[in-house]
């Protein structure tokens, strides 16, 4: 019987696992949040992942559980593990992707380079940190943030007063030094439960308004030293935290060529979409191989450059589908991926991958193809 992989969460990441699962001969099942998502996916149940009974019923029919997102509560995951369910990544690793304060403390123990940081519970603690860091800092809600929501640059403690007021007893916000980075990078690695690790080349990510807009693989002008340090960071985090499946480490590169860790994602990640069409083994296939504890695939790129451009928002009127043929006709070398989501300002509704020997050409074609969906 085919190995049954259960994915909790029915977003685009689960959707993009479907084709590789078919090719690998895995039986993929998805627990989606709502009917709208389920309609886009095969073998999908609808249910609330916060509800242990719902999740228990879903996992009863699978051999291994993994995720499309990081929001499944620790209590639910720990109950499954106690019942003998194979969960990858497990709750001990996943907690560091769920809570940025826990992550900062653990990375400090591991000796991984990161921005100065502190937990702050009130305005005086926050102001003290700002005073020591040129009067500025980045305040973050430790849990539940995504796409820049839950991140605020502040120059006075009062600018985070609403978040401080919302803290429950025992809770804290995270404050970090405002890093003057020259660019953002991402390092992905995959790790199997049995310990094998493979690393992808470090990539450059371009964010607009807190949302990933473009990715270039490998990161242009990356020296061997930079690539090596990034890979070393990825491997040591995967090992140190016991991550299973894909791990993405978001990084800042500073003007003195230092690399600092911004945050972690333990699942396929936007920074790795290029690998679907640009590497021997795409990240969705790799994630499935890793969580199923199968031998990992080659991460080598197919071409000198791969460029990924997100389709953000989608057309103001009509559907993405209506634009598809025009984009394909104008740019036959572009690989266009859509997520079956309704257009909405700022929403990630698809992406375009282009590979080639000339970086400028690849960037041009990827942007032009994505622009067909504006
Ligand atoms: P999210 O979890 O919402 O993705 P991040 O922690 O990745 O939030 O922050 C979103 C963006 O904010 C980052 O991609 C980066 O551009 C900026 N940012 C975050 N932390 C810092 C920092 N310490 N210094 C400078 N910029 C930062």
């Amino acid at each position: 019987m085919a190995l049954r992989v259960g994915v909790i969460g029915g977003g685009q990441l689960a959707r993009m696992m479907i084709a590789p699962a078919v090719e690998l001969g895995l039986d993929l099942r998805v627990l989606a949040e709502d009917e709208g998502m389920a309609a886009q996916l095969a073998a999908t149940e609808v249910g609330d992942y916060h509800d242990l009974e719902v999740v228990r019923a879903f996992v009863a029919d699978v051999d291994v559980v993994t995720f499309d997102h990081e929001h499944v509560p620790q209590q639910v995951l720990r109950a499954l593990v106690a019942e003998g369910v194979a969960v990858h990544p497990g709750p001990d690793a996943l907690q560091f992707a769920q809570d940025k304060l826990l992550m900062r403390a653990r990375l400090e123990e591991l000796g991984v380079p990161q921005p100065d940081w502190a937990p702050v519970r009130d305005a005086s603690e926050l102001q003290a940190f700002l005073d020591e860091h040129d009067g500025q800092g980045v305040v973050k809600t430790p849990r539940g943030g995504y796409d820049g929501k839950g991140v605020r640059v502040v120059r006075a403690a009062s600018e985070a007063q609403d978040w401080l007021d919302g803290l429950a007893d025992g809770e804290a916000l995270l404050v970090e030094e405002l890093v003057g980075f020259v660019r953002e990078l991402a390092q992905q690695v995959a790790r199997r439960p049995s310990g094998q690790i493979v690393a992808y080349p470090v990539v450059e990510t371009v964010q607009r308004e807190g949302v990933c807009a473009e990715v270039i693989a490998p990161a242009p002008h990356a020296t061997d030293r930079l690539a090596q340090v990034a890979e070393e960071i990825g491997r040591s985090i995967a090992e140190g935290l016991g991550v299973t499946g894909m791990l993405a480490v978001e990084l800042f590169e500073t003007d003195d060529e230092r690399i600092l860790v911004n945050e972690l994602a333990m699942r396929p990640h936007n920074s790795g979409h290029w690998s679907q069409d640009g590497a021997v083994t795409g990240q969705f296939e790799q994630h499935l191989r890793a969580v199923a504890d199968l031998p990992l695939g080659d991460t080598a790129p197919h071409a000198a450059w791969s460029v990924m451009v997100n389709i953000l928002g989608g057309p103001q009127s009509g559907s993405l589908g209506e634009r598809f043929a025009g984009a394909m006709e104008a740019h036959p070398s572009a690989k266009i991926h859509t997520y079956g989501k309704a257009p909405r300002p700022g929403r990630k509704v698809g992406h375009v991958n282009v590979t080639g020997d000339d970086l400028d050409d690849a960037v041009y074609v990827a942007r032009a193809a994505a622009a067909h969906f504006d």
Side-chain angles (χ1 to χ4, degrees):
M1 194 172 71
L3 190 84
R4 299 162 303 175
V5 178
V7 183
I8 301 182
Q12 66 259 27
L13 302 181
R15 179 178 160 106
M16 288 187 276
M17 289 180 208
I18 295 173
V22 170
E23 290 166 1
L24 292 170
L26 301 172
D27 177 355
L28 196 80
R29 299 165 186 215
V30 178
L31 179 65
E33 288 83 319
D34 58 54
E35 299 285 351
M37 284 177 161
Q40 308 297 334
L41 298 158
T44 302
E45 291 172 31
V46 175
D48 181 0
Y49 58 78
H50 298 92
D51 183 336
L52 178 58
E53 289 315 312
V54 169
V55 177
R56 233 188 222 135
F58 172 69
V59 306
D61 293 327
V62 304
D63 301 303
V64 53
V65 177
T66 190
F67 310 97
D68 161 278
H69 58 67
E70 279 124 6
H71 308 315
V72 183
Q74 281 283 319
Q75 312 83 278
V76 170
L77 298 176
R78 290 191 186 277
L80 298 184
V81 170
E83 290 161 19
V85 179
V87 178
H88 295 299
D92 287 340
L94 199 62
Q95 61 182 335
F96 300 110
Q98 292 178 321
D99 187 314
K100 291 177 182 176
L101 270 171
L102 281 183
M103 175 197 73
R104 288 285 176 232
R106 185 74 183 101
L107 293 187
E108 192 159 293
E109 286 173 6
L110 290 175
V112 171
Q114 53 179 351
D116 276 351
W117 65 281
V120 288
R121 282 161 288 266
D122 56 42
S124 66
E125 287 182 353
L126 175 53
Q127 194 58 52
F129 183 94
L130 299 180
D131 292 344
E132 284 167 22
H133 294 85
D134 299 328
Q136 54 193 11
V138 182
V139 180
K140 300 184 178 184
T141 52
R143 308 178 67 86
Y146 67 96
D147 286 350
K149 297 173 182 63
V151 174
R152 200 182 279 173
V153 175
V154 301
R155 297 200 160 73
S158 56
E159 292 172 33
Q161 196 57 53
D162 52 336
W163 285 356
L164 289 165
D165 289 343
L167 290 174
D169 272 355
E171 284 183 347
L173 297 175
L174 168 63
V175 62
E176 298 174 358
E177 67 171 298
L178 179 65
V179 177
F181 56 81
V182 289
R183 60 176 173 171
E184 295 188 63
L185 305 170
Q187 174 67 52
Q188 287 192 300
V189 300
R191 182 172 176 275
R192 284 170 75 177
S194 53
Q196 186 195 5
I197 298 185
V198 292
Y200 284 85
V202 66
V203 302
E204 177 173 343
T205 65
V206 180
Q207 329 283 325
R208 286 195 201 110
E209 288 158 35
V211 181
C212 176
E214 297 183 359
V215 173
I216 301 174
H221 320 297
T223 60
D224 289 348
R225 194 197 72 90
L226 182 107
Q228 219 175 331
V229 170
E231 178 171 337
E232 225 17 76
I233 289 173
R235 286 177 180 270
S236 60
I237 293 175
E239 250 160 33
L241 305 188
V243 179
T244 42
M246 286 295 303
L247 165 70
V249 184
E250 296 181 14
L251 301 160
F252 299 127
E253 181 183 346
T254 62
D255 54 9
D256 51 356
E257 243 202 37
R258 283 188 315 139
I259 297 185
L260 305 172
V261 172
N262 176 24
E263 66 164 343
L264 309 177
M266 296 181 192
R267 50 173 169 75
H269 187 250
N270 203 165
S271 64
H273 288 355
W274 69 274
S275 64
Q276 289 175 297
D277 302 301
V280 175
T281 311
Q283 64 164 345
F284 297 97
E285 175 179 344
Q286 197 75 279
H287 185 72
L288 291 170
R289 287 184 184 225
V291 302
D293 207 9
L294 293 166
L296 300 178
D298 191 348
T299 56
H302 284 308
W305 299 106
S306 296
V307 175
M308 191 279 328
V309 174
N310 271 338
I311 301 173
L312 292 171
Q316 295 199 340
S317 62
S319 70
L320 266 76
E322 292 162 13
R323 310 291 180 96
F324 223 115
M328 288 193 285
E329 184 168 12
H331 303 290
S333 65
K335 306 294 277 187
I336 302 165
H337 301 256
T338 58
Y339 308 156
K341 291 171 158 181
R344 193 195 298 155
R347 195 179 201 197
K348 291 177 183 169
V349 292
H351 67 272
V352 177
N353 286 333
V354 176
T355 59
D357 292 335
D358 187 287
L359 177 56
D360 290 340
D361 276 357
V363 169
Y364 173 80
V365 173
R367 285 183 186 164
H372 273 261
F373 297 91
D374 286 347

